Amino acid sequence: MKTHINLDTTEPLIIDVRETWEFGLGHIQHALNIPLGELPAKMEELKGCEREIIVYCQSGGRSGRAAAFLQSAGFNKVRNGGGIGEMAQHFPVNS
């Protein structure tokens, strides 16, 4: 399935790198779910995105790996948001 990424906004692109079943239990509002293992296959869809990218997971480990991967792929505005608990302090959660 192709991921729809809005390039016409300056809002950060929030990516939840947890598994789909974890995302279904609750996630940050407007976050895209791209599990860490699927991230390399989604690079073409992310190409051209100049928005800040914030990645998060359950506790920060997977999102750290995702942030490093994105940075090595040439994305300059990438931030590891850590775990969903940390992100929920700054963004609304859908449950």
Side-chain angles (χ1 to χ4, degrees):
M1 178 188 301
K2 187 168 171 108
T3 304
H4 174 72
I5 299 170
N6 183 356
L7 300 176
D8 297 327
T9 182
T10 57
E11 292 294 316
L13 173 62
I14 301 174
I15 301 176
D16 184 329
V17 296
R18 298 176 300 156
E19 295 299 319
T20 303
W21 68 268
E22 293 173 285
F23 184 80
L25 296 175
H27 57 273
I28 300 300
Q29 190 173 35
H30 305 300
L32 293 178
N33 181 220
I34 304 176
L36 180 60
E38 296 176 20
L39 192 55
K42 296 288 186 176
M43 294 308 294
E44 188 63 31
E45 295 172 41
L46 292 170
K47 189 177 177 180
C49 179
E50 295 185 14
R51 297 163 57 185
E52 176 185 20
I53 299 173
I54 303 173
V55 289
Y56 76 94
C57 60
Q58 187 63 37
S59 63
R62 286 175 282 183
S63 58
R65 291 192 300 276
F69 176 78
L70 289 167
Q71 289 166 340
S72 71
F75 292 91
N76 299 321
K77 297 185 266 183
V78 177
R79 180 164 46 114
N80 179 0
I84 190 168
E86 294 170 75
M87 289 288 289
Q89 295 175 21
H90 306 284
F91 299 96
V93 175
N94 286 354
S95 51

